[in-house]
Amino acid sequence: RLLKSMENEKSDLTSQVANLETQRNSVESSRKKLDAECHQLRDSIEDLEEEKRNADLMTQRANEALHRTQSELAVEQEAKSNQERACQTLTRRIVELESQLEDMEQQARNAGKSKIAALQNKVRQSEQDLDVEIKRRM
């Protein structure tokens, strides 16, 4: 009986050892899978960090380009404003000069008419003087 009991106990222990061995193998297999997944996750994290560095660099470059463009825009807007002021000044000056030209043309026409009238009077006077001279000599 003792022998049978010990054989049963041995059989139970052997069965337990086998179960524990199976569990240990299963745990070892799971550990290897988890190690592999950890390694893949580390690689993925490294890839994501590299992508982030690249994205940060691109963002920095884009910001620099934006600042340059904004500066160029400000310069262009200032130049445009200056040109518009210059154009307005020139337009006012053109209007002033056109007005002066019209006044000068009017003065020249009036002076011309006066000269013509004076010359016509002189011609008439000369004709009268000539007529008088002709009559005197006749």
Side-chain angles (χ1 to χ4, degrees), residues 3 6 9 15 17 28 53 61 69 94-95 101 126:
L3 187 59
M6 294 202 60
E9 194 175 322
S15 177
V17 167
E28 183 65 26
R53 281 190 294 273
R61 288 179 182 160
T69 302
I94 287 170
V95 169
L101 178 62
S126 294

Side-chain angles (χ1 to χ4, degrees), residues 54-72:
N54 290 337
D56 289 345
L57 184 60
M58 288 174 60
T59 300
Q60 180 183 0
R61 288 179 182 160
N63 283 334
E64 290 169 357
L66 174 64
H67 290 300
R68 275 193 311 275
T69 302
Q70 287 173 335
S71 296
E72 291 170 2

